[in-house]
Amino acid sequence: MQRSNRRIFLQTVSTVAFQRGGLPQTPAPQLPKHRDSGAIPVHEKFIRRAIELAATARKNGNHPFGALLVDENGQVMITAENTALTKHDATRHAELNLVQLASEAFSSGALSKATLYTSTEPCLMCCGAIHWARIPSVVFGCSAKRLASIVRSDDFLFPCRETFMKTKQPRVVVIGPVLETEAIVVHRGFWK
């Protein structure tokens, strides 16, 4: 996130946390809006990049999911895509791949200041990895509810906000869905 955008975001989160008596799980309504999506433009930029990674995963013969990690200055630290089919490992989700690669490449201090952007809301397994890596914020494109309607199943598709709210550690701030209409395009025709 650029410093000025991050400062606005953090100031808003702090203000809302004080007003509500806790850490918010969604961005405050007074955040700057862009078009009709209700998202900050910097979030849209990174969500579009996550969607591109999802499209690459699909082209590579995998499930259409992509993720990236962005540092506190708005620089992309690392990217990952789903590799479950080509690696023959059901745990190779984009977010899990990302957390594994990031944990090897960066300090826990760097991870604790980063934002994870993902094309689709993280599943329970990926939420666990995000939590244990102490990544403090997640921004997603397609919601679990929308994905469930596309794949015609809701097995293990739970809102990540609910998962993160159950933790005793500092809660992960969740923003999304962002650009959901764009995020679902990569799923069309894939889930049959």
Side-chain angles (χ1 to χ4, degrees):
M1 222 182 264
Q2 294 175 353
R3 283 199 183 268
S4 61
N5 287 341
R6 182 157 178 83
R7 190 175 305 116
I8 291 168
F9 173 76
L10 292 175
Q11 287 170 344
T12 304
V13 167
S14 298
T15 302
V16 172
F18 178 75
Q19 290 170 348
R20 293 183 183 167
L23 188 63
Q25 295 299 306
T26 57
Q30 67 263 36
L31 287 174
K33 296 195 180 218
H34 183 66
R35 281 183 247 118
D36 294 328
S37 71
I40 298 172
V42 70
H43 291 324
E44 292 183 352
K45 169 186 165 183
F46 293 126
I47 285 297
R48 284 192 174 106
R49 179 69 180 112
I51 294 167
E52 289 171 9
L53 291 163
T56 301
R58 183 174 175 168
K59 286 178 191 168
N60 290 337
N62 290 294
H63 298 135
F65 301 100
L68 59 141
L69 198 63
V70 177
D71 71 15
E72 61 188 324
N73 299 313
Q75 300 299 310
V76 175
M77 299 166 69
I78 200 159
T79 66
E81 60 188 61
N82 180 290
T83 56
L85 297 176
T86 56
K87 296 281 186 184
H88 308 287
D89 181 349
T91 67
R92 298 290 78 201
H93 291 194
E95 299 90 344
L96 198 59
N97 286 339
L98 184 87
V99 169
Q100 180 184 10
L101 293 169
S103 295
E104 292 171 358
F106 302 101
S107 71
S108 59
L111 296 181
S112 72
K113 298 175 187 171
T115 300
L116 189 148
Y117 288 87
T118 181
S119 60
T120 305
E121 189 167 2
C123 72
L124 291 169
M125 174 181 68
C126 293
C127 286
I130 293 164
H131 167 78
W132 292 115
R134 304 233 191 252
I135 297 169
S137 56
V138 172
V139 182
F140 66 86
C142 178
S143 67
K145 182 177 181 179
R146 190 71 181 265
L147 180 62
S149 71
I150 294 168
V151 301
R152 294 183 180 89
S153 170
D154 62 358
D155 290 345
F156 260 61
L157 296 176
F158 301 102
C160 66
R161 278 181 185 85
E162 293 177 18
T163 303
F164 289 127
M165 284 176 51
K166 294 181 186 297
T167 66
K168 294 178 182 168
Q169 306 285 334
R171 292 201 176 109
V172 174
V173 175
V174 178
I175 300 171
V178 174
L179 300 176
E180 188 168 44
T181 305
E182 292 180 35
I184 63 170
V185 172
V186 72
H187 293 283
R188 289 191 184 139
F190 183 85
W191 306 99
K192 296 177 184 180

